[in-house]
Amino acid sequence: MLEYLVSAEFYQIMLFYVYSFILLGAAMAVVTMRNSIYSALFLILSFFSAAALWLLLEAEFLALTLVLVYVGAVMVLFLFVIMMLDIKVKPNKGMSSYTKVGLFVALLMLVEMMMLLGKKLIPALPQDDLVKHIKGHSNVKEVAESLYTQYVLPFELASVILLVAIVAAILLTLRKRKDYNHVKPESQVHVKATNNRMRVVKMEAEKGNDIGGDS
Amino acid sequence: MIGDQVWLLFWTLIKIVAIVLPLIIVVAYLTYAERRVIGFMQGRMGPNRVGLFGFKLWGLAQPFADTVKLLLKEIIFPANANKFLFLMAPVITLATAFAAWAVVPFSDGLVLADINAGLVYILAMTSLGVYGVIIAGWASNSKYALLGALRSAAQIVSYEIAMGFALVGVLIASGSLNLSEIVNSQSGGIGSWFFIPLFPLFIIYFISGVAETNRAPFDVAEGESEIVAGFHVEYSGAAFALFFLGEYANMIMISALTAIMFMGGWLSPFTGDSLIAQPSILWFFMKTGFFLLLYLWFRATFPRYRYDQIMRLGWKIFIPITIVWIMVVAVIKVYKPEWIGG
């Protein structure tokens, strides 16, 4: 028994439960927090815990990409926008009628999903507790091989769609003021200080009164 | 069995301490070196008074005097500041700065965690550092701090793209995300180091690194002439010291990474069997030290960039160049693989 308690397997299972608990708690906090800055910070925490769960699956590339893309870039911009907004924290006024309808819909969806999952998916789940790969297994290679061989067309298509979306979003928000004085750095660089802006005057050095020593 | 597990835990902790403790001492002496080097460049003396037992020792005890002073000072909380986040911010800055060191190989096999996706781990950890700045700026409940945080967020997100693309070039050239393998693929003297085939990426990586660490000439996040001290204007005492520590640890990190990615890490620039051609941790330290000197040199030389020029440099110059050079590297890798590390 003691042997099991210090084994790597037990440690991994404990880590799984700890991170799952933090993930679920943080996800709940995202929607229940009144202050939107806290919501965003809890969303970061839940991304982070999800990445930790992926690490337990030995999918280190996916986990680190999740942290890099969602935590390191997307959520920074989220926080950026939320901090600029002037949001007043509203006092709690109990459940509105929308909340009741929402809860009902959510409950219905939960029952539906449980029926589906119970019927089809539970027998298909792996029975082993832990995912173990052979030594030298590379998650990067695994992801790359399926992305660039089997799914190369959908992958490239998705990237083109994203690119089009980026260009469209920039074009839609691009506005230029009529009185905008655009600075052209390339012509700024060509301004010669000695010819165009300044006149260097030669003059005799003035005689000081020898107080400052050699300065 | 139990003993093995416990020993493994302790051994890892010892290794972590063996990395973090020298790092803190290097940070302390980097602040000293910064003041001395910039003093030299500007014809001043720099700190040269604080010594031990009555000896001046060129001011070598100055970093310890500064540390003790900062630790003994009071931490002041601004009115209506969010105390928890206010204290968490410097911790986040420091933790992410130190966490990235876990995958840095100091010499062949001398690395805490030799993971396959080391490069992505480094990028992920360095991108987390911005949260310390943002949260500090918001939790301080101060206009200047918030302005500094917003500037820093925009700047770091912009330069991270150029930095990531520069590293994509490295991983195309080396064919690996593992930092030790990246260094080993540069073996064969100074001619095989990646800074020659990837020269534009090398320059862009280091400049983006300077911008990412909020150092001069890109230090608008704490531009003292415009927004007092930016995001850490409300911090004092030990909390401020942690920000300081994090910033300098990040500087060393960027220098070490530039040495690993482009300058062959611990490899010697010479070839042959002589003593000077042996790979050694000393080469790694010398290369890292050179890039640290560049950091200080930049600070002594360049005036601060204007904010719109920083954005222009990042988005309109660095990112297009990196995209073009990634294509060039990919073509070389396919048709002339012997040009880049074989």
PDB file of all heavy atoms in Angstrom, chain B residues 51 63 73 88 120 147 149 186 205 227 236 280 295 299 340:
ATOM      1  N   GLY B  51      32.508  48.569  -0.099  1.00  0.00           N
ATOM      2  CA  GLY B  51      33.348  47.379  -0.067  1.00  0.00           C
ATOM      3  C   GLY B  51      33.118  46.616   1.219  1.00  0.00           C
ATOM      4  O   GLY B  51      32.086  46.776   1.876  1.00  0.00           O
ATOM      5  N   PRO B  63      25.995  45.632  -4.966  1.00  0.00           N
ATOM      6  CA  PRO B  63      24.725  44.914  -5.161  1.00  0.00           C
ATOM      7  C   PRO B  63      24.124  44.413  -3.854  1.00  0.00           C
ATOM      8  O   PRO B  63      22.898  44.463  -3.679  1.00  0.00           O
ATOM      9  CB  PRO B  63      25.090  43.733  -6.057  1.00  0.00           C
ATOM     10  CG  PRO B  63      26.400  44.034  -6.632  1.00  0.00           C
ATOM     11  CD  PRO B  63      27.070  45.049  -5.798  1.00  0.00           C
ATOM     12  N   LYS B  73      13.087  48.013   3.163  1.00  0.00           N
ATOM     13  CA  LYS B  73      12.137  49.115   2.979  1.00  0.00           C
ATOM     14  C   LYS B  73      10.697  48.626   3.094  1.00  0.00           C
ATOM     15  O   LYS B  73      10.399  47.459   2.859  1.00  0.00           O
ATOM     16  CB  LYS B  73      12.360  49.754   1.614  1.00  0.00           C
ATOM     17  CG  LYS B  73      13.483  50.752   1.619  1.00  0.00           C
ATOM     18  CD  LYS B  73      13.420  51.609   0.384  1.00  0.00           C
ATOM     19  CE  LYS B  73      14.316  52.808   0.535  1.00  0.00           C
ATOM     20  NZ  LYS B  73      14.213  53.676  -0.620  1.00  0.00           N
ATOM     21  N   MET B  88       0.711  39.544  -6.167  1.00  0.00           N
ATOM     22  CA  MET B  88       0.927  38.423  -7.075  1.00  0.00           C
ATOM     23  C   MET B  88       1.765  38.829  -8.289  1.00  0.00           C
ATOM     24  O   MET B  88       2.542  38.030  -8.815  1.00  0.00           O
ATOM     25  CB  MET B  88      -0.410  37.866  -7.572  1.00  0.00           C
ATOM     26  CG  MET B  88      -1.066  36.878  -6.650  1.00  0.00           C
ATOM     27  SD  MET B  88       0.004  35.502  -6.302  1.00  0.00           S
ATOM     28  CE  MET B  88      -0.207  34.545  -7.788  1.00  0.00           C
ATOM     29  N   VAL B 120       9.295  25.455 -27.677  1.00  0.00           N
ATOM     30  CA  VAL B 120       7.925  25.931 -27.456  1.00  0.00           C
ATOM     31  C   VAL B 120       7.737  26.276 -25.987  1.00  0.00           C
ATOM     32  O   VAL B 120       7.069  27.258 -25.643  1.00  0.00           O
ATOM     33  CB  VAL B 120       6.902  24.862 -27.895  1.00  0.00           C
ATOM     34  CG1 VAL B 120       5.522  25.460 -27.921  1.00  0.00           C
ATOM     35  CG2 VAL B 120       7.255  24.322 -29.249  1.00  0.00           C
ATOM     36  N   LEU B 147      -1.225  52.873 -17.805  1.00  0.00           N
ATOM     37  CA  LEU B 147      -0.686  53.240 -19.120  1.00  0.00           C
ATOM     38  C   LEU B 147       0.541  52.409 -19.447  1.00  0.00           C
ATOM     39  O   LEU B 147       0.688  51.909 -20.569  1.00  0.00           O
ATOM     40  CB  LEU B 147      -0.322  54.730 -19.132  1.00  0.00           C
ATOM     41  CG  LEU B 147      -1.484  55.691 -19.313  1.00  0.00           C
ATOM     42  CD1 LEU B 147      -1.004  57.118 -19.169  1.00  0.00           C
ATOM     43  CD2 LEU B 147      -2.110  55.495 -20.667  1.00  0.00           C
ATOM     44  N   ALA B 149       1.248  49.455 -18.307  1.00  0.00           N
ATOM     45  CA  ALA B 149       0.846  48.071 -18.548  1.00  0.00           C
ATOM     46  C   ALA B 149       0.294  47.913 -19.956  1.00  0.00           C
ATOM     47  O   ALA B 149       0.617  46.937 -20.656  1.00  0.00           O
ATOM     48  CB  ALA B 149      -0.197  47.641 -17.524  1.00  0.00           C
ATOM     49  N   GLN B 186      24.747  22.492 -34.665  1.00  0.00           N
ATOM     50  CA  GLN B 186      25.623  23.572 -35.120  1.00  0.00           C
ATOM     51  C   GLN B 186      27.099  23.221 -34.968  1.00  0.00           C
ATOM     52  O   GLN B 186      27.961  24.101 -35.067  1.00  0.00           O
ATOM     53  CB  GLN B 186      25.346  24.854 -34.326  1.00  0.00           C
ATOM     54  CG  GLN B 186      23.917  25.318 -34.410  1.00  0.00           C
ATOM     55  CD  GLN B 186      23.664  26.556 -33.586  1.00  0.00           C
ATOM     56  OE1 GLN B 186      24.356  27.538 -33.709  1.00  0.00           O
ATOM     57  NE2 GLN B 186      22.672  26.513 -32.724  1.00  0.00           N
ATOM     58  N   TYR B 205      15.923  38.469 -33.838  1.00  0.00           N
ATOM     59  CA  TYR B 205      15.654  37.802 -32.563  1.00  0.00           C
ATOM     60  C   TYR B 205      16.216  38.595 -31.400  1.00  0.00           C
ATOM     61  O   TYR B 205      15.546  38.817 -30.400  1.00  0.00           O
ATOM     62  CB  TYR B 205      16.240  36.381 -32.557  1.00  0.00           C
ATOM     63  CG  TYR B 205      15.968  35.676 -31.256  1.00  0.00           C
ATOM     64  CD1 TYR B 205      14.713  35.140 -31.021  1.00  0.00           C
ATOM     65  CD2 TYR B 205      16.918  35.599 -30.253  1.00  0.00           C
ATOM     66  CE1 TYR B 205      14.425  34.530 -29.825  1.00  0.00           C
ATOM     67  CE2 TYR B 205      16.638  34.995 -29.056  1.00  0.00           C
ATOM     68  CZ  TYR B 205      15.391  34.463 -28.846  1.00  0.00           C
ATOM     69  OH  TYR B 205      15.095  33.877 -27.654  1.00  0.00           O
ATOM     70  N   ILE B 227       5.811  58.606 -18.259  1.00  0.00           N
ATOM     71  CA  ILE B 227       4.809  58.064 -17.337  1.00  0.00           C
ATOM     72  C   ILE B 227       5.475  57.627 -16.028  1.00  0.00           C
ATOM     73  O   ILE B 227       5.215  56.562 -15.502  1.00  0.00           O
ATOM     74  CB  ILE B 227       4.029  56.892 -17.984  1.00  0.00           C
ATOM     75  CG1 ILE B 227       4.979  55.908 -18.639  1.00  0.00           C
ATOM     76  CG2 ILE B 227       3.041  57.392 -18.993  1.00  0.00           C
ATOM     77  CD1 ILE B 227       4.279  54.650 -19.099  1.00  0.00           C
ATOM     78  N   SER B 236       7.386  49.318  -4.077  1.00  0.00           N
ATOM     79  CA  SER B 236       8.541  49.717  -3.281  1.00  0.00           C
ATOM     80  C   SER B 236       9.064  48.490  -2.556  1.00  0.00           C
ATOM     81  O   SER B 236       8.412  47.450  -2.518  1.00  0.00           O
ATOM     82  CB  SER B 236       8.129  50.786  -2.274  1.00  0.00           C
ATOM     83  OG  SER B 236       7.128  50.262  -1.436  1.00  0.00           O
ATOM     84  N   SER B 280      32.737  23.566 -24.167  1.00  0.00           N
ATOM     85  CA  SER B 280      32.831  23.803 -22.725  1.00  0.00           C
ATOM     86  C   SER B 280      31.754  24.782 -22.289  1.00  0.00           C
ATOM     87  O   SER B 280      31.288  25.613 -23.080  1.00  0.00           O
ATOM     88  CB  SER B 280      34.213  24.364 -22.392  1.00  0.00           C
ATOM     89  OG  SER B 280      34.148  25.066 -21.183  1.00  0.00           O
ATOM     90  N   TYR B 295      23.375  44.441 -24.397  1.00  0.00           N
ATOM     91  CA  TYR B 295      22.226  45.057 -23.718  1.00  0.00           C
ATOM     92  C   TYR B 295      22.632  46.382 -23.071  1.00  0.00           C
ATOM     93  O   TYR B 295      21.962  47.401 -23.222  1.00  0.00           O
ATOM     94  CB  TYR B 295      21.744  44.115 -22.611  1.00  0.00           C
ATOM     95  CG  TYR B 295      20.508  43.309 -22.927  1.00  0.00           C
ATOM     96  CD1 TYR B 295      20.589  41.974 -23.234  1.00  0.00           C
ATOM     97  CD2 TYR B 295      19.266  43.896 -22.865  1.00  0.00           C
ATOM     98  CE1 TYR B 295      19.466  41.217 -23.493  1.00  0.00           C
ATOM     99  CE2 TYR B 295      18.131  43.163 -23.118  1.00  0.00           C
ATOM    100  CZ  TYR B 295      18.233  41.822 -23.428  1.00  0.00           C
ATOM    101  OH  TYR B 295      17.114  41.093 -23.675  1.00  0.00           O
ATOM    102  N   ARG B 299      21.815  50.422 -24.046  1.00  0.00           N
ATOM    103  CA  ARG B 299      21.213  51.374 -23.118  1.00  0.00           C
ATOM    104  C   ARG B 299      22.045  52.652 -23.045  1.00  0.00           C
ATOM    105  O   ARG B 299      21.498  53.747 -22.899  1.00  0.00           O
ATOM    106  CB  ARG B 299      21.099  50.748 -21.731  1.00  0.00           C
ATOM    107  CG  ARG B 299      20.242  51.607 -20.844  1.00  0.00           C
ATOM    108  CD  ARG B 299      20.078  51.085 -19.460  1.00  0.00           C
ATOM    109  NE  ARG B 299      19.792  52.223 -18.592  1.00  0.00           N
ATOM    110  CZ  ARG B 299      19.767  52.147 -17.297  1.00  0.00           C
ATOM    111  NH1 ARG B 299      19.984  51.017 -16.683  1.00  0.00           N
ATOM    112  NH2 ARG B 299      19.511  53.216 -16.589  1.00  0.00           N
ATOM    113  N   ILE B 340      23.405  24.555 -44.232  1.00  0.00           N
ATOM    114  CA  ILE B 340      23.023  24.850 -42.852  1.00  0.00           C
ATOM    115  C   ILE B 340      23.187  23.604 -42.001  1.00  0.00           C
ATOM    116  O   ILE B 340      22.263  22.802 -41.857  1.00  0.00           O
ATOM    117  CB  ILE B 340      21.592  25.416 -42.721  1.00  0.00           C
ATOM    118  CG1 ILE B 340      20.653  24.804 -43.767  1.00  0.00           C
ATOM    119  CG2 ILE B 340      21.583  26.902 -42.787  1.00  0.00           C
ATOM    120  CD1 ILE B 340      19.229  25.264 -43.602  1.00  0.00           C
TER     121      ILE B 340
END
